[in-house]
Amino acid sequence: MMGDIFACIEQELIGFIQYHERMDSIYSMAVLVRLGRHVMSANDTGSFLSMTYGSALVRVKRNYDKLMHAHLKSIQEVRIIKKSKCGILPFVANFEYFAKTAEQIFKETERRTDLDKWYLKLLTVMFETIHSIASEHPKTPAEVIRMENFHHLYALLSQLKIGILDQFRKDAKQKYSEALSAYVTRYFGRPLEKLNLFFEVEAKVSQGIKESEVGYQVEVAFSKQELRKVTKEYHGREVKKGFDHLYKKVEKHLSEEENLLQVIIINC
């Protein structure tokens, strides 16, 4: 009888939901959680209202999956301006807003698994696309693209503290570190080579010298006299010129938003 009297209710409800989804696609996530909560908590699953909500929930879930598929496709088909340096990729920057919004909506709800499933798919494709763009971009070195974007992801995932994404957080940190090391090695080698060798204590330790003996007293190579001799080879003007060159080269490659200039210089 209720179905006959209120036959239009389901279509009206679906129309209301679709209207707001067109205004903001994020709305489908909020409706999925709220409507799902009503359906799961219903005492009489055969009631008119429960069946109406259940039917609407099926459509909402379908729209939610469409939203996520569209989000996934936007990552795979991202277009990058190749006439300027790359910087933080759009989908990496957008993921911060998406994840923070999603966490507010899904946190400690019955629909949490629906979000976690898509998190895994999205992050997997993001990692793949970062590598793909890094290998193709004509202006920015591949190492810089990987370094900046994986650093951004690592910082974000560390902030979000989402348990299911912890392995992605660890992988992002590793890939960032590897890219940083590769960039420094490829573009800067070892500036002030003799000073680097002088202070390379780890190499001496690996040769069997005790850490306590690596100083200025035991080895001639580590004596004060040797240090004075090496430093005389590098005049202040030459050192300043070398570091100015390093700064200019790094600034040309790096983006301002990630601000890894000091990190690069330290690792040089």
Side-chain angles (χ1 to χ4, degrees):
M1 182 178 67
M2 292 287 288
D4 291 336
I5 297 174
F6 300 104
C8 64
I9 288 294
E10 182 178 332
Q11 289 303 319
E12 289 290 337
L13 178 59
I14 291 173
F16 174 81
I17 293 170
Q18 290 176 339
Y19 171 77
H20 284 85
E21 285 177 339
R22 286 193 294 269
M23 294 179 64
D24 187 349
S25 58
I26 295 296
Y27 188 75
S28 65
M29 295 196 293
V31 176
L32 178 66
V33 171
R34 293 292 297 274
L35 205 55
R37 185 178 299 139
H38 282 296
V39 173
M40 295 296 293
S41 62
N43 294 323
D44 184 2
T45 56
S47 69
F48 168 75
L49 193 58
S50 294
M51 293 179 68
T52 301
Y53 281 160
S55 180
L57 180 61
V58 172
R59 296 211 182 191
V60 169
K61 177 60 166 62
R62 192 180 301 141
N63 290 342
Y64 167 76
D65 286 333
K66 286 182 179 179
L67 168 67
M68 293 304 180
H69 275 295
H71 194 64
L72 193 68
K73 189 176 181 180
S74 70
I75 298 172
Q76 295 170 323
E77 298 180 355
V78 64
R79 293 184 178 181
I80 304 299
I81 299 175
K82 296 184 177 182
K83 292 184 179 180
S84 59
K85 56 186 175 183
C86 185
I88 301 302
L89 296 167
F91 59 82
V92 174
N94 294 339
F95 184 73
E96 180 172 358
Y97 170 75
F98 169 81
K100 288 182 177 179
T101 302
E103 285 302 304
Q104 290 179 346
I105 296 172
F106 283 88
K107 190 175 183 179
E108 299 178 359
T109 66
E110 299 83 355
R111 310 296 308 203
R112 177 75 207 192
T113 54
D114 292 295
L115 177 63
D116 288 342
K117 179 185 72 173
W118 279 104
Y119 268 150
L120 298 178
K121 292 181 180 180
L122 291 172
L123 264 298
T124 298
V125 172
M126 287 172 67
F127 273 53
E128 293 172 352
T129 307
I130 290 173
H131 284 294
S132 176
I133 292 174
S135 63
E136 299 173 357
H137 201 281
K139 290 290 183 180
T140 305
E143 297 86 352
V144 172
I145 295 176
R146 293 197 300 270
M147 175 180 63
E148 290 189 324
N149 285 277
F150 282 122
H151 177 269
H152 193 90
L153 275 178
Y154 167 68
L156 175 59
L157 294 175
S158 298
Q159 180 184 355
L160 292 173
K161 298 179 181 179
I162 301 172
I164 198 170
L165 299 182
D166 193 54
Q167 187 57 52
F168 283 100
R169 180 186 62 80
K170 294 177 182 177
D171 290 345
K173 182 180 181 181
Q174 180 181 348
K175 293 182 185 300
Y176 153 67
S177 299
E178 290 173 351
L180 171 61
S181 177
Y183 176 68
V184 171
T185 301
R186 177 182 175 185
Y187 286 92
F188 305 105
R190 293 169 61 86
L192 308 181
E193 178 73 15
K194 292 183 179 180
L195 284 177
N196 269 296
L197 289 174
F198 184 87
F199 289 108
E200 197 173 63
V201 175
E202 289 184 2
K204 292 297 179 180
V205 173
S206 66
Q207 294 172 9
I209 301 175
K210 294 180 180 179
E211 291 185 16
S212 59
E213 296 178 353
V214 178
Y216 301 119
Q217 300 87 0
V218 181
E219 290 289 322
V220 175
F222 283 82
S223 66
K224 291 182 180 179
Q225 291 79 9
E226 185 66 17
L227 177 59
R228 293 192 187 99
K229 180 180 177 182
V230 171
T231 53
K232 284 182 179 179
E233 297 184 25
Y234 297 98
H235 299 289
R237 183 178 299 176
E238 180 186 347
V239 173
K240 184 179 184 300
K241 183 179 179 181
F243 278 108
D244 286 343
H245 178 70
L246 283 177
Y247 265 91
K248 289 179 181 178
K249 183 180 288 188
V250 175
E251 284 181 327
K252 182 180 178 181
H253 290 157
L254 300 186
S255 62
E256 294 180 1
E257 59 258 51
E258 205 57 21
N259 194 26
L260 293 178
L261 178 62
Q262 294 299 327
V263 176
I264 295 294
I265 297 302
I266 290 173
N267 280 271
C268 288

